[in-house]
Amino acid sequence: MTGNKTVFIKTYGCQMNVYDSERMSDTLAPLGYTPTDDADNADLIILNTCHIREKAAEKVYSELGRIRVAKGERAAQGKETLVAVAGCVAQAEGEEIIRRAPAVDMVFGPQTYHRLPELIERVRKGERPSEPEATAPFKAPRSPKVVETDFPLEDKFDHLPAAKAEVTRARGITAFLTVQEGCDKFCSFCVVPYTRGSEVSRPVEKIFSEAEALVAAGVREITLLGQNVNAYHGLGADGEMWTLSELLRRLSDIPDLWRIRYTTSHPRDMDDALIAAHATNPKLMPYLHLPVQSGSDRILAAMNRRHTASEYVELIGKIRAARPDLAVSGDFIVGFPGETEADFEATMELVRQVNYAACYSFKYSPRPGTPAATEADQVPEAVKTERLHRLQALLDAQLKDFSHSLIGRTLPVLFEKEGRLPGQIVGRSPYLQPVNVMAPSHLIGQMADVVIEGTGAFSLFGSLVGEPAATERRLA
């Protein structure tokens, strides 16, 4: 099962899927697979899917239609292409994917990708004709089908190989690191408990070891990932269960790890110790993603969020009291079943009270198998669209106000890559915004103080401290 083969992985959706795709690549490396951007000529194609957004499954089937043609063309040349669908759509759809997309060889959920070598072997052991069945560009050889969507008893993280140093270095200055998976909250609109399973936290020292390896390969900022990351309760070396605040403190002991972030959190799991960590842990960035979804208590109850709007606003005030320079982002769903104009206005009022630095907002779309999908009082599409436009206009104004408030401030920027302009490099502010600076490329991978001089639609512009301002350079 070794040799020179290529794998193309297309990642949909959240940061956890990005992490999972990287770990799939690590799993495949011992089998001789190297990553490629050329899907049409890849020996293995994996679509790592997300089921959160509207029409997610249909987008996957559309992509599979294109892949079917490319697979058939390679088959006509005597070349084999294995096609896999992974992730949350795979978990939700299972055998249906095989039925609707015959070109697919493997379907596996987000908890079973550590079994990839076994799944590939199972496909290969099936009977195959020695020659392609046909030379038509849309028809590929027969192959056995493998579907793995059960939640395994073993922890996939115990079976994933360590990434090779050269592969890890290629991932750049920042990295994602999954510390918790699954969710026990069962919000009525969400498929995560059904596709990712119940909440599971990784042991502290295993996380620490992976973080050390990333830092040794040049990573300087790590974002801890979980569907409900602030519910983290992982086994510590002392035999006790550690909380997220304790894990953050442990990771801060890594000398060359300069920055730590975490996402996504639930308001009900924002305990006092974690709030205090924002005040006492200098490596923890002053930026918090804390979704609320609605400002209406009636809709929050229908969503099974198990908190009120006032409790959320009070919590934000408590966190800001601990870390006054902290910026907040959030998630909102408009047009949830039964939402009235008064409910929507309550959401707008909450946004005005919190004053966000950034937000994600979406129209509600039913997810099969979730309680909200069967509600009779679905909001008309036109009403959802109009409300979303109003909400986004308010959120965009707050984003611009926050960006403009940073002009004249000096911020530490971690530089990640070259910019679009010659002589320009781009880094991230503590608030996750891209910062464009005219500076030498040897600063990539370093952190430097930057005076913010202007803003773009979603980015900042500035000059290194001690350097002439960008306007002065242009006049020189």
Side-chain angles (χ1 to χ4, degrees):
M1 293 181 66
T2 60
N4 296 319
K5 297 181 286 290
T6 58
V7 55
F8 172 83
I9 304 178
K10 183 170 183 176
T11 306
Y12 299 78
C14 68
Q15 297 101 322
M16 190 171 288
N17 268 13
V18 175
Y19 175 86
D20 286 347
S21 291
E22 291 174 345
R23 302 301 276 133
M24 286 183 209
S25 182
D26 298 339
T27 301
L28 291 166
L31 306 186
Y33 283 96
T34 57
T36 179
D37 293 328
D38 185 2
D40 290 343
N41 291 299
D43 299 298
L44 171 60
I45 297 173
I46 301 175
L47 303 184
N48 189 15
T49 62
C50 175
H51 211 304
I52 298 298
R53 301 294 170 245
E54 187 176 7
K55 299 180 180 177
E58 293 308 313
K59 291 176 182 177
V60 172
Y61 286 119
S62 176
E63 181 70 10
L64 287 171
R66 191 196 66 77
I67 289 171
R68 180 172 177 248
V69 174
K71 179 174 181 174
E73 291 173 347
R74 278 174 55 87
Q77 301 168 23
K79 299 177 181 178
E80 179 187 66
T81 306
L82 297 182
V83 178
V85 178
C88 291
V89 171
Q91 187 70 40
E93 299 274 316
E95 295 278 358
E96 178 69 6
I97 295 174
I98 296 294
R99 188 188 70 79
R100 289 185 58 180
V104 175
D105 301 287
M106 296 175 285
V107 176
F108 52 91
Q111 304 304 332
T112 51
Y113 64 77
H114 62 290
R115 295 178 177 174
L116 252 174
E118 172 196 334
L119 303 184
I120 292 173
E121 180 69 7
R122 284 166 59 185
V123 170
R124 292 188 182 283
K125 282 183 176 178
E127 291 186 5
R128 286 180 175 276
S130 58
E131 297 293 334
E133 285 184 339
T135 58
F138 56 86
K139 196 166 186 180
R142 291 189 305 271
S143 65
K145 309 296 182 181
V146 174
V147 178
E148 281 279 354
T149 54
D150 292 335
F151 290 105
L153 294 176
E154 76 268 18
D155 182 354
K156 70 182 179 189
F157 295 104
D158 289 339
H159 297 269
L160 292 173
K164 292 182 179 179
E166 63 271 19
V167 175
T168 304
R169 277 194 290 273
R171 289 177 185 160
I173 310 305
T174 65
F176 297 124
L177 201 171
T178 294
V179 302
Q180 179 270 343
E181 276 198 277
C183 187
D184 296 338
K185 296 296 187 289
F186 286 93
C187 296
S188 63
F189 55 83
C190 185
V191 298
V192 166
Y194 312 102
T195 58
R196 290 274 181 175
S198 58
E199 290 177 4
V200 176
S201 296
R202 298 177 65 189
V204 172
E205 293 309 309
K206 290 190 176 181
I207 295 169
F208 186 83
S209 294
E210 188 170 338
E212 277 192 316
L214 288 168
V215 172
V219 169
R220 295 294 173 259
E221 175 180 302
I222 290 177
T223 299
L224 308 183
L225 298 179
Q227 265 84 33
N228 194 22
V229 70
N230 60 340
Y232 175 86
H233 281 81
L235 184 65
D238 58 0
E240 300 294 325
M241 301 305 290
W242 287 32
T243 63
L244 182 60
S245 60
E246 293 170 308
L247 174 63
L248 291 168
R249 185 174 66 246
R250 176 76 172 112
L251 293 175
S252 295
D253 292 337
I254 302 175
D256 286 329
L257 176 59
W258 300 337
R259 289 177 162 184
I260 306 174
R261 305 180 189 273
Y262 63 89
T263 193
T264 291
S265 297
H266 194 288
R268 293 183 59 239
D269 292 305
M270 211 62 208
D271 62 24
D272 289 343
L274 184 55
I275 293 172
H278 280 277
T280 59
N281 189 331
K283 293 188 177 182
L284 182 57
M285 290 296 94
Y287 185 82
L288 175 65
H289 185 66
L290 191 62
V292 61
Q293 309 299 356
S294 175
S296 162
D297 288 345
R298 192 177 71 85
I299 296 300
L300 287 170
M303 289 178 168
N304 196 34
R305 293 289 290 175
R306 289 181 282 181
H307 63 79
T308 65
S310 61
E311 287 170 344
Y312 177 86
V313 173
E314 182 180 349
L315 176 62
I316 295 295
K318 191 174 181 179
I319 299 167
R320 281 175 166 159
R323 183 73 188 259
D325 64 338
L326 182 133
V328 179
S329 66
D331 292 345
F332 288 92
I333 295 172
V334 301
F336 188 81
E339 183 187 71
T340 65
E341 181 62 26
D343 293 322
F344 175 71
E345 181 51 42
T347 296
M348 296 287 278
E349 180 56 29
L350 182 144
V351 172
R352 295 184 192 103
Q353 290 182 61
V354 173
N355 194 17
Y356 289 92
C359 268
Y360 302 95
S361 53
F362 310 95
K363 291 186 291 185
Y364 170 77
S365 58
R367 289 291 167 268
T370 60
T374 61
E375 293 292 330
D377 49 352
Q378 301 289 326
V379 176
E381 192 67 23
V383 175
K384 289 193 285 188
T385 299
E386 189 274 334
R387 287 176 183 170
L388 181 65
H389 288 164
R390 274 193 281 160
L391 175 60
Q392 287 181 335
L394 176 57
L395 293 172
D396 287 347
Q398 290 188 349
L399 183 153
K400 290 177 182 176
D401 287 345
F402 177 72
S403 295
H404 280 285
S405 73
L406 299 175
I407 294 177
R409 284 185 56 183
T410 297
L411 300 178
V413 173
L414 176 58
F415 290 108
E416 299 178 21
K417 60 184 180 180
E418 293 184 351
R420 294 181 179 179
L421 301 177
Q424 184 185 72
I425 59 175
V426 182
R428 294 277 177 178
S429 78
Y431 304 111
L432 211 54
Q433 304 130 307
V435 182
N436 303 279
V437 178
M438 301 302 291
S441 60
H442 69 75
L443 287 177
I444 293 173
Q446 302 298 314
M447 194 146 60
D449 287 339
V450 172
V451 178
I452 304 303
E453 300 165 344
T455 67
F458 301 102
S459 60
L460 304 174
F461 296 86
S463 296
L464 294 176
V465 169
E467 294 286 320
T471 52
E472 293 175 4
R473 289 201 302 275
R474 284 196 294 267
L475 291 173

